Amino acid sequence: MSDFDLKAFLVGLIVIVLSIALHEFGHAISADRLGDPGPRRAGRITLWPDKHFEIFGFIMILVTLWSGFGLGWGRPVMVNPRSFRHPRRDMVIVALCGPLMNLALALVFGLVLRAILATGHIGWLIDESGHDNTAANFLTGFVRINLSLMFFNLIPVHPLDGSKILSGILPESLSIAYDRFGSVYGPMILLCAIMLGRGVIGEIILPAVATSTRLITGLAL
């Protein structure tokens, strides 16, 4: 317990909660704009984080931050494709808007970090002992966590966003078979990958996160 860093825990919690809430808001607002009244009726057209979480997913976020292993999640936005004018195309758009929200957050905070470094105000990011301060942890946390959320959700395994995107761009006959397979086996495949630890998921997304981080911030975070 002596190694527990409360400040880092709180910074991580704030960043993850806001990032997941905005991810779900991206799904909700895009579905609303495309004609589905469900997210608005469910109170999901809001930036308040409490509307985008259910208790077990939030507890898992706490466990993940505490132990360094696990997976937390927000409350999925329920979407009815039959409300859309172009159901397959619009479902792809809705599925993309969650990860794109994470990309936007990573870009905003990453470019702020890059601007601070470019102007030479390194003192804004380092405390008296020469370590990263809270501001630096927030900026780097938003970059890393949002890029991680984006690439993780783009994995084409049900129920992640990537599966809905792939389903929408496949020919319809293949899409039906893919959705049928994914709905039965996708959660099992994803759970097995998570239970195997960081190795499987990390091999998939960490190289993309590292490369994107360097492109946005100019740093290897």
Side-chain angles (χ1 to χ4, degrees), residues 179-212:
D179 288 341
R180 187 179 296 124
F181 176 87
S183 63
V184 175
Y185 298 106
M188 189 187 315
I189 293 170
L190 186 61
L191 181 61
C192 288
I194 293 168
M195 293 301 292
L196 287 172
R198 297 178 181 176
V200 175
I201 300 298
E203 287 293 328
I204 295 172
I205 69 171
L206 288 184
V209 171
T211 300
S212 300

Side-chain angles (χ1 to χ4, degrees), residues 83-168:
S83 300
F84 299 145
R85 182 173 299 178
H86 306 285
R88 298 190 73 215
R89 184 205 67 183
D90 293 349
M91 273 302 300
V92 171
I93 294 171
V94 171
L96 271 171
C97 281
L100 286 176
M101 184 67 78
N102 294 127
L103 177 60
L105 287 168
L107 285 170
V108 168
F109 286 93
L111 292 175
V112 168
L113 177 59
R114 189 168 193 143
I116 291 172
L117 295 172
T119 55
H121 291 94
I122 191 70
W124 293 357
L125 305 173
I126 296 177
D127 60 24
E128 294 177 355
S129 62
H131 296 98
D132 290 350
N133 61 19
T134 302
N137 290 332
F138 265 115
L139 292 172
T140 57
F142 267 105
V143 175
R144 284 196 304 258
I145 288 172
N146 277 283
L147 289 175
S148 297
L149 283 171
M150 180 185 75
F151 287 115
F152 175 73
N153 277 285
L154 288 176
I155 297 173
V157 176
H158 185 83
L160 299 178
D161 297 327
S163 67
K164 300 176 181 67
I165 295 167
L166 181 57
S167 175

Side-chain angles (χ1 to χ4, degrees), residues 30-81:
S30 58
D32 180 72
R33 293 293 186 268
L34 289 167
D36 184 0
R40 185 171 293 276
R41 284 201 299 261
R44 305 300 298 276
I45 311 299
T46 178
L47 294 175
W48 287 108
D50 66 304
K51 299 296 185 182
H52 298 294
F53 284 91
E54 47 86 22
I55 187 64
F56 190 64
F58 182 72
I59 290 172
M60 287 303 297
I61 290 173
L62 298 177
V63 171
T64 301
L65 284 169
W66 186 279
S67 65
F69 174 76
L71 183 68
W73 58 87
R75 182 156 61 97
V77 175
M78 296 295 103
V79 176
N80 181 8

